[in-house]
Amino acid sequence: MLKLCWKRLGIVAGLLLSLVVAGCGSDNGDSASSDESSDKSSGGVSEEVDYTITGIEPGAGITELSKKTLEEYENLEGWTLQESSTAGMIGALQEAIQNEEPIIVTGWTPHWIFSAYDLKFLEDPKGTLGKTENINTIVRKGLEEDMPIAYQILDRFHWEPEDIESVMLSAQESSYEEAAKSWVEENSKKVDEWTKGVDKVDGKEIELVSTLWETERASGNVMKVVLEQQGYEVTLKTVAPAIVFQSIAGGDADATVAPWLPTTHGSFYEKYKEDFVDLGENLTGTKNGFVVPEYMDIESIKDLQPKE
């Protein structure tokens, strides 16, 4: 029922890291349906999407991984990654599913689209889109000494994919700020695990940075609410992934709960790892990969065909 409701509401929103394929074979009553189905799930689909993948923002981790994937798979020769925006990608995906038309877009989990639609990951034999990842918390050097209470809360912060997806889903009807406040109120027991035994502060300023992904908008706003309840005056800025790492390493920002590791943001992590403190995982079980709706008769990236 939830999936049907979301489809009918026609959700269009901004946001996660994988390639999502939507398509549907037609039934023209021909007796040679098995041959046509085979063609539809490989060469037919490739031709119908014009050998194009609808992506998100330039510079995003999944964008770079997608480019690498097009280079590494010989059967994707001639394909194009159309860089767009998260909102534009989701809008295109929604329209394609409503019209039962094929489309390939970049996406990731956790993300509310996997609660709204029946999707599945395509096999990625070369592993170019990365395996299961974690989201980590990193802070600037010296934060533990300057803000020991915030440091302790950030160090304790850990939640599950279903937690973050619930915030993302709620935000489609309100805002991430309101969705985060509601989640914190409704999950006081879990929040208490992060704040147990720590003192409140009196308006001390702290700056968080995050990426534009919906997952990080959810986690960043939840942490903002938690720290504000503890007495901090919190600024939350959304920036490009490279800037997230630069600002923490340079001491211009205090903390982030956004990095996807080891693959998606791995290059930035390696570049700046000597200049920040890694507090470890705050969420496990993320995944990037090629994804298709359950109704698509395609199982692997290798089922796609090169552009002739």
Side-chain angles (χ1 to χ4, degrees):
M1 288 299 295
L2 175 59
K3 295 179 179 179
L4 290 175
C5 289
W6 277 110
K7 291 178 183 178
R8 291 171 182 168
L9 285 172
I11 306 166
V12 178
L15 134 20
L16 275 104
L17 297 172
S18 58
L19 296 174
V20 184
V21 182
C24 182
S26 62
D27 181 6
N28 58 14
D30 194 294
S31 59
S33 59
S34 61
D35 291 340
E36 290 180 356
S37 175
S38 175
D39 181 65
K40 179 73 73 176
S41 67
S42 52
V45 168
S46 302
E47 183 176 356
E48 287 177 9
V49 300
D50 196 24
Y51 307 94
T52 299
I53 296 163
T54 302
I56 60 170
E57 294 80 6
I62 187 62
T63 300
E64 299 308 310
L65 292 175
S66 299
K67 290 178 180 178
K68 179 182 177 182
T69 299
L70 297 189
E71 294 173 356
E72 293 292 328
Y73 279 86
E74 294 181 0
N75 61 303
L76 297 181
E77 182 177 354
W79 281 68
T80 300
L81 175 65
Q82 180 181 322
E83 296 178 357
S84 176
S85 66
T86 302
M89 176 274 288
I90 294 176
L93 173 64
Q94 178 193 17
E95 182 178 358
I97 291 177
Q98 288 176 339
N99 295 324
E100 296 189 342
E101 296 173 347
I103 186 174
I104 303 178
V105 303
T106 58
W108 56 94
T109 59
H111 196 288
W112 63 261
I113 60 174
F114 287 87
S115 294
Y117 304 110
D118 291 321
L119 305 172
K120 62 183 178 181
F121 282 97
L122 285 182
E123 296 173 5
D124 176 17
K126 293 181 179 289
T128 53
L129 289 163
K131 298 181 180 180
T132 300
E133 293 195 278
N134 306 310
I135 304 178
N136 282 32
T137 300
I138 65 173
V139 302
R140 66 169 173 82
K141 287 185 174 181
L143 183 70
E144 185 175 11
E145 293 74 26
D146 298 340
M147 304 183 194
I149 292 172
Y151 182 94
Q152 190 169 9
I153 293 171
L154 287 160
D155 193 28
R156 291 175 176 177
F157 174 53
H158 189 281
W159 58 348
E160 304 299 329
E162 54 266 29
D163 294 318
I164 196 169
E165 286 187 346
S166 68
V167 177
M168 295 165 73
L169 275 169
S170 296
Q172 308 313 308
E173 294 185 317
S174 55
S175 68
Y176 275 91
E177 292 81 1
E178 292 301 319
K181 289 177 183 178
S182 296
W183 187 90
V184 169
E185 291 175 0
E186 295 166 3
N187 292 270
S188 59
K189 186 175 181 180
K190 180 165 291 190
V191 173
D192 286 345
E193 295 175 1
W194 311 335
T195 61
K196 183 178 180 180
V198 299
D199 297 326
K200 289 185 179 282
V201 300
D202 186 14
K204 191 171 183 63
E205 295 182 358
I206 185 170
E207 182 171 316
L208 306 179
V209 286
S210 187
T211 64
L212 294 170
W213 285 6
E214 287 188 278
T215 43
E216 278 57 72
R217 294 176 68 189
S219 60
N221 276 282
V222 164
M223 182 51 62
K224 181 176 184 289
V225 171
V226 171
L227 289 174
E228 286 176 339
Q229 289 184 347
Q230 208 64 29
Y232 285 93
E233 186 174 323
V234 185
T235 299
L236 174 62
K237 293 183 178 179
T238 54
V239 296
I243 304 301
V244 168
F245 285 85
Q246 289 174 15
S247 60
I248 299 295
D252 297 320
D254 296 302
T256 180
V257 293
W260 284 49
L261 299 168
T263 304
T264 304
H265 296 139
S267 61
F268 304 125
Y269 185 94
E270 289 299 316
K271 183 176 181 179
Y272 296 104
K273 65 182 180 180
E274 301 300 327
D275 299 316
F276 59 72
V277 178
D278 185 355
L279 298 183
E281 304 157 358
N282 62 61
L283 185 144
T284 59
T286 71
K287 187 174 182 180
N288 298 320
F290 285 16
V291 180
V292 299
E294 288 289 348
Y295 60 75
M296 266 299 275
D297 185 20
I298 186 171
E299 301 297 331
S300 172
I301 295 172
K302 287 194 171 183
D303 291 338
L304 300 172
Q305 298 297 309
K307 184 176 182 179
E308 297 180 358

